Structure formats: C-alpha cells, structure tokens
Amino acid sequence: MLRQFASRFKSFRSHRADIRQLEQMNDRELADIGIDRGDIASVVRFGRR
C-alpha cells in the first residue's frame, strides 16, 4: 500500500513539473508542438489524441 502511494505521488509530482514547464512556453511554441494552452493538463496526463 505504501509503495502504491509513493508511486502515485511520484507520478503526480512528475505531471505537475511537466505542466509547469509547458505553461512557461508561449502560444507559438505550444502551437509548434501541437498543443493548445487549455489542453496542457490533459495532454500531460493522457497524451495527445
């Protein structure tokens, strides 16, 4: 149970770091990689569709 919690917490922190990094990019840079600003969180969590 503790391992599962630690794994989920590590994943959560990794996702938050990725979201912060993408949020620092300007709209043109995001467009170059095919991401809209409003979709950052879902792209990080679920990937592009």
Side-chain angles (χ1 to χ4, degrees), residues 11-23 35 39-48:
S11 178
F12 170 78
R13 289 190 57 170
S14 176
H15 285 149
R16 284 301 312 153
D18 293 342
I19 289 170
R20 275 193 303 273
Q21 187 173 11
L22 287 170
E23 285 176 341
I35 299 173
D39 296 332
I40 290 174
S42 63
V43 167
V44 169
R45 289 190 178 99
F46 306 113
R48 284 193 271 182

Side-chain angles (χ1 to χ4, degrees), residues 15-39:
H15 285 149
R16 284 301 312 153
D18 293 342
I19 289 170
R20 275 193 303 273
Q21 187 173 11
L22 287 170
E23 285 176 341
Q24 292 177 356
M25 297 174 80
N26 64 40
D27 290 336
R28 184 174 179 172
E29 292 170 328
L30 290 171
D32 284 346
I33 60 174
I35 299 173
D36 291 326
R37 184 160 303 281
D39 296 332

Side-chain angles (χ1 to χ4, degrees), residues 3-15:
R3 284 186 193 165
Q4 184 180 17
F5 173 76
S7 175
R8 286 183 183 210
F9 185 70
K10 183 178 178 182
S11 178
F12 170 78
R13 289 190 57 170
S14 176
H15 285 149

